[in-house]
Amino acid sequence: MSNAKRVAIVGVFSALAFVIMFVEFPIFPAVNFLKYDPSDILALLISFIYSPIMGILVLAIKDILFYIFKSGDIVGIAMNFVAGFLFVYPTALIYSRKGRMREILGYVVGITAATGGMALLNILVVPLYWKVPLSTVFALLPWIIGFNAIKFTIDSVVNYIIHGRVAKILEPNKERL
Ligand code: RBF
């Protein structure tokens, strides 16, 4: 693939992911600071079709744009980025076009890494961010775990269904398994 095409594709997917992030909505009222948006799917698509690093680049660019033009909340954006990274990077590394079972293993590891990692990170960050005692975070922990498990399961299912079709559009001449 040419460098120009690579830059163009990362640019287009980052811009699309940035726009898609505006649909964000909470899943559980108890933790309404956690909002679902499907933008990480674009980063996962790119990480599958091109490389894990290019997917992380899409993640970083859309988060920087969202921080500048919408949220202004550095903690929220940083949490969104870390969650996306913990999901996309291991999933894409394990996948690397090695077949359906590897792909499903990738999703399971990615969902587990993001859900477990974000549970730990929220235990550290929520008391500082909301100025609440540690006991409050532990009371919210089932919702936090449920949110991340649902978010990344939805992203996995959508990616599983569409990544082959998207690959054919982006790379029509490439040999595939
Ligand atoms: N996003 C996630 O995907 N998983 C998380 O565990 C998570 N924890 C967050 C904790 C705090 C205190 C904040 C402020 C945000 C968190 N976010 C998390 C990001 C949130 O869902 C949303 O994407 C951003 O706040 C941007 O609006």
Side-chain angles (χ1 to χ4, degrees):
M1 186 191 13
S2 73
N3 250 345
K5 188 178 172 192
R6 196 183 292 250
V7 171
I9 286 170
V10 168
V12 169
F13 271 70
S14 304
L16 272 176
F18 162 63
V19 173
I20 287 174
M21 206 172 162
F22 277 78
V23 311
E24 60 172 15
F25 57 91
I27 297 177
F28 298 121
V31 284
N32 61 8
F33 58 97
L34 301 179
K35 295 179 202 115
Y36 177 74
D37 71 79
S39 64
D40 289 356
I41 297 168
L42 281 107
L44 191 57
L45 284 169
I46 290 302
S47 73
F48 267 42
I49 297 164
Y50 296 116
S51 74
I53 296 291
M54 274 173 76
I56 299 309
L57 201 57
V58 169
L59 217 54
I61 295 171
K62 68 105 180 162
D63 272 338
I64 291 167
L65 291 175
F66 197 79
Y67 172 73
I68 294 171
F69 292 105
K70 174 81 200 295
S71 85
D73 171 24
I74 193 72
V75 175
I77 275 302
M79 295 296 270
N80 180 287
F81 176 78
V82 174
F85 181 92
L86 288 174
F87 170 60
V88 169
Y89 200 70
T91 303
L93 273 189
I94 293 169
Y95 167 62
S96 334
R97 292 204 183 90
K98 287 196 190 79
R100 188 159 294 186
M101 286 321 286
R102 284 282 295 217
E103 177 176 353
I104 290 166
L105 177 69
Y107 296 131
V108 171
V109 172
I111 294 166
T112 307
T115 303
M118 292 316 288
L120 293 176
L121 206 55
N122 271 284
I123 292 171
L124 294 173
V125 169
V126 168
L128 301 169
Y129 187 82
W130 294 112
K131 305 196 170 45
V132 292
L134 210 52
S135 59
T136 308
V137 190
F138 282 106
L140 294 177
L141 210 51
W143 300 109
I144 295 171
I145 291 170
F147 170 85
N148 285 298
I150 290 172
K151 169 175 174 172
F152 294 113
T153 300
I154 295 171
D155 289 0
S156 297
V157 170
V158 174
N159 188 73
Y160 180 79
I161 295 169
I162 69 174
H163 78 83
R165 273 166 256 197
V166 178
K168 276 190 196 121
I169 296 166
L170 292 183
E171 299 279 283
N173 302 318
K174 198 163 183 165
E175 293 275 332
R176 245 172 271 286
L177 292 172

Short mmCIF file of all heavy atoms in Angstrom, two decimals, residues 21 24 33-35 66 73 76 79-80 83 118 122 125-126 129-130 147-148 151-152, ligand 1:
data_model
loop_
_atom_site.label_atom_id
_atom_site.label_comp_id
_atom_site.label_asym_id
_atom_site.label_seq_id
_atom_site.Cartn_x
_atom_site.Cartn_y
_atom_site.Cartn_z
N MET A 21 -18.50 9.67 17.37
CA MET A 21 -18.42 9.78 18.84
C MET A 21 -19.49 10.71 19.42
O MET A 21 -19.84 10.61 20.60
CB MET A 21 -17.01 10.26 19.23
CG MET A 21 -16.61 9.81 20.62
SD MET A 21 -14.89 10.16 20.98
CE MET A 21 -14.94 10.04 22.77
N GLU A 24 -22.69 9.61 21.54
CA GLU A 24 -22.50 8.97 22.85
C GLU A 24 -23.72 9.12 23.76
O GLU A 24 -24.34 10.17 23.83
CB GLU A 24 -21.25 9.54 23.54
CG GLU A 24 -21.30 11.02 23.78
CD GLU A 24 -20.15 11.53 24.64
OE1 GLU A 24 -19.16 10.82 24.82
OE2 GLU A 24 -20.28 12.67 25.14
N PHE A 33 -21.79 8.84 33.75
CA PHE A 33 -20.58 9.45 33.19
C PHE A 33 -19.90 8.49 32.21
O PHE A 33 -18.98 8.87 31.49
CB PHE A 33 -19.61 9.86 34.30
CG PHE A 33 -19.18 8.72 35.20
CD1 PHE A 33 -17.99 8.05 35.00
CD2 PHE A 33 -19.99 8.35 36.28
CE1 PHE A 33 -17.59 7.01 35.84
CE2 PHE A 33 -19.61 7.29 37.12
CZ PHE A 33 -18.42 6.62 36.90
N LEU A 34 -20.35 7.24 32.18
CA LEU A 34 -19.83 6.28 31.19
C LEU A 34 -20.77 6.28 30.01
O LEU A 34 -21.96 5.94 30.15
CB LEU A 34 -19.75 4.87 31.80
CG LEU A 34 -18.88 4.73 33.04
CD1 LEU A 34 -18.90 3.29 33.54
CD2 LEU A 34 -17.44 5.16 32.76
N LYS A 35 -20.27 6.68 28.85
CA LYS A 35 -21.14 6.81 27.68
C LYS A 35 -20.67 5.89 26.56
O LYS A 35 -19.49 5.82 26.26
CB LYS A 35 -21.15 8.25 27.21
CG LYS A 35 -21.76 9.18 28.24
CD LYS A 35 -21.75 10.63 27.77
CE LYS A 35 -21.84 11.58 28.95
NZ LYS A 35 -20.60 12.38 29.06
N PHE A 66 -12.07 15.13 19.55
CA PHE A 66 -13.25 15.21 20.42
C PHE A 66 -12.94 16.08 21.63
O PHE A 66 -13.79 16.86 22.07
CB PHE A 66 -13.68 13.81 20.85
CG PHE A 66 -15.08 13.76 21.40
CD1 PHE A 66 -16.18 13.75 20.55
CD2 PHE A 66 -15.31 13.71 22.77
CE1 PHE A 66 -17.48 13.71 21.05
CE2 PHE A 66 -16.61 13.67 23.28
CZ PHE A 66 -17.69 13.66 22.41
N ASP A 73 -12.83 17.74 28.47
CA ASP A 73 -12.62 17.00 29.72
C ASP A 73 -11.48 16.00 29.52
O ASP A 73 -11.68 14.95 28.93
CB ASP A 73 -13.92 16.30 30.13
CG ASP A 73 -13.71 15.34 31.29
OD1 ASP A 73 -12.73 15.53 32.05
OD2 ASP A 73 -14.52 14.40 31.43
N GLY A 76 -11.99 12.37 31.09
CA GLY A 76 -12.93 11.54 30.33
C GLY A 76 -12.31 11.03 29.03
O GLY A 76 -12.44 9.85 28.69
N MET A 79 -9.62 8.41 29.72
CA MET A 79 -10.24 7.12 30.07
C MET A 79 -10.78 6.45 28.81
O MET A 79 -10.65 5.24 28.64
CB MET A 79 -11.37 7.33 31.10
CG MET A 79 -10.89 7.84 32.44
SD MET A 79 -9.82 6.70 33.33
CE MET A 79 -11.01 5.76 34.27
N ASN A 80 -11.40 7.24 27.93
CA ASN A 80 -11.92 6.69 26.68
C ASN A 80 -10.79 6.09 25.85
O ASN A 80 -10.91 4.99 25.30
CB ASN A 80 -12.65 7.79 25.90
CG ASN A 80 -13.22 7.28 24.58
OD1 ASN A 80 -12.49 7.03 23.63
ND2 ASN A 80 -14.53 7.09 24.55
N ALA A 83 -9.34 2.84 27.50
CA ALA A 83 -10.29 1.74 27.32
C ALA A 83 -10.21 1.21 25.88
O ALA A 83 -10.11 0.00 25.66
CB ALA A 83 -11.71 2.21 27.64
N MET A 118 -10.09 -1.35 33.03
CA MET A 118 -10.87 -0.14 33.34
C MET A 118 -11.49 -0.22 34.72
O MET A 118 -11.68 0.81 35.37
CB MET A 118 -11.93 0.12 32.27
CG MET A 118 -11.38 0.51 30.91
SD MET A 118 -10.04 1.73 30.95
CE MET A 118 -10.93 3.21 31.41
N ASN A 122 -10.73 2.79 37.13
CA ASN A 122 -11.84 3.56 37.72
C ASN A 122 -11.75 3.59 39.24
O ASN A 122 -12.11 4.60 39.86
CB ASN A 122 -13.19 3.00 37.27
CG ASN A 122 -13.66 3.65 35.97
OD1 ASN A 122 -14.12 4.77 35.96
ND2 ASN A 122 -13.50 2.94 34.86
N VAL A 125 -9.34 6.40 39.66
CA VAL A 125 -9.66 7.72 39.11
C VAL A 125 -10.97 8.30 39.66
O VAL A 125 -11.03 9.50 39.96
CB VAL A 125 -9.72 7.64 37.56
CG1 VAL A 125 -10.30 8.91 36.96
CG2 VAL A 125 -8.32 7.37 37.00
N VAL A 126 -12.01 7.47 39.83
CA VAL A 126 -13.32 8.00 40.22
C VAL A 126 -13.29 8.74 41.57
O VAL A 126 -13.87 9.83 41.68
CB VAL A 126 -14.40 6.88 40.20
CG1 VAL A 126 -15.69 7.34 40.87
CG2 VAL A 126 -14.69 6.48 38.75
N TYR A 129 -11.77 12.11 40.74
CA TYR A 129 -12.53 12.89 39.76
C TYR A 129 -13.84 13.41 40.35
O TYR A 129 -14.18 14.58 40.20
CB TYR A 129 -12.82 12.01 38.54
CG TYR A 129 -13.45 12.73 37.37
CD1 TYR A 129 -12.68 13.47 36.48
CD2 TYR A 129 -14.83 12.66 37.16
CE1 TYR A 129 -13.26 14.12 35.40
CE2 TYR A 129 -15.42 13.31 36.08
CZ TYR A 129 -14.63 14.02 35.21
OH TYR A 129 -15.21 14.65 34.14
N TRP A 130 -14.58 12.52 41.04
CA TRP A 130 -15.88 12.92 41.61
C TRP A 130 -15.77 13.29 43.09
O TRP A 130 -16.78 13.62 43.69
CB TRP A 130 -16.92 11.80 41.43
CG TRP A 130 -17.26 11.53 40.00
CD1 TRP A 130 -16.96 10.40 39.29
CD2 TRP A 130 -17.95 12.39 39.08
NE1 TRP A 130 -17.42 10.51 38.00
CE2 TRP A 130 -18.04 11.72 37.84
CE3 TRP A 130 -18.52 13.68 39.19
CZ2 TRP A 130 -18.64 12.28 36.72
CZ3 TRP A 130 -19.12 14.23 38.08
CH2 TRP A 130 -19.17 13.54 36.87
N PHE A 147 -20.81 -2.03 32.12
CA PHE A 147 -20.73 -1.06 31.01
C PHE A 147 -19.64 -1.46 30.02
O PHE A 147 -19.87 -1.55 28.81
CB PHE A 147 -20.45 0.35 31.55
CG PHE A 147 -20.13 1.34 30.46
CD1 PHE A 147 -21.14 2.00 29.78
CD2 PHE A 147 -18.81 1.60 30.09
CE1 PHE A 147 -20.85 2.89 28.74
CE2 PHE A 147 -18.50 2.48 29.06
CZ PHE A 147 -19.52 3.13 28.39
N ASN A 148 -18.43 -1.71 30.53
CA ASN A 148 -17.31 -2.01 29.63
C ASN A 148 -17.52 -3.35 28.91
O ASN A 148 -17.21 -3.47 27.73
CB ASN A 148 -15.98 -1.98 30.39
CG ASN A 148 -15.53 -0.57 30.69
OD1 ASN A 148 -15.29 0.22 29.77
ND2 ASN A 148 -15.46 -0.21 31.96
N LYS A 151 -20.14 -2.59 26.21
CA LYS A 151 -19.57 -1.73 25.16
C LYS A 151 -18.69 -2.53 24.20
O LYS A 151 -18.87 -2.49 22.98
CB LYS A 151 -18.76 -0.59 25.80
CG LYS A 151 -17.91 0.22 24.84
CD LYS A 151 -17.23 1.41 25.52
CE LYS A 151 -16.28 2.11 24.58
NZ LYS A 151 -15.74 3.37 25.12
N PHE A 152 -17.76 -3.29 24.76
CA PHE A 152 -16.79 -3.95 23.89
C PHE A 152 -17.32 -5.23 23.27
O PHE A 152 -16.81 -5.68 22.25
CB PHE A 152 -15.46 -4.11 24.63
CG PHE A 152 -14.83 -2.76 24.93
CD1 PHE A 152 -14.70 -2.29 26.22
CD2 PHE A 152 -14.44 -1.94 23.88
CE1 PHE A 152 -14.17 -1.03 26.49
CE2 PHE A 152 -13.91 -0.68 24.12
CZ PHE A 152 -13.77 -0.22 25.42
N1 RBF B 1 -14.97 4.99 29.02
C1 RBF B 1 -14.92 3.64 28.86
O1 RBF B 1 -15.08 3.11 27.78
N2 RBF B 1 -14.70 2.83 29.96
C2 RBF B 1 -14.50 3.32 31.21
O2 RBF B 1 -14.32 2.54 32.15
C3 RBF B 1 -14.54 4.74 31.38
N3 RBF B 1 -14.35 5.29 32.63
C4 RBF B 1 -14.48 6.65 32.77
C5 RBF B 1 -14.34 7.23 34.06
C6 RBF B 1 -14.48 8.60 34.24
C7 RBF B 1 -14.33 9.19 35.61
C8 RBF B 1 -14.77 9.43 33.12
C9 RBF B 1 -14.95 10.92 33.28
C10 RBF B 1 -14.91 8.87 31.86
C11 RBF B 1 -14.76 7.49 31.66
N4 RBF B 1 -14.87 6.91 30.39
C12 RBF B 1 -14.80 5.54 30.25
C13 RBF B 1 -15.08 7.76 29.16
C14 RBF B 1 -16.56 8.10 28.93
O3 RBF B 1 -17.32 6.93 28.71
C15 RBF B 1 -16.69 9.04 27.71
O4 RBF B 1 -16.28 8.34 26.53
C16 RBF B 1 -15.84 10.28 27.82
O5 RBF B 1 -16.10 10.92 29.06
C17 RBF B 1 -16.08 11.28 26.67
O6 RBF B 1 -17.35 11.83 26.70
#
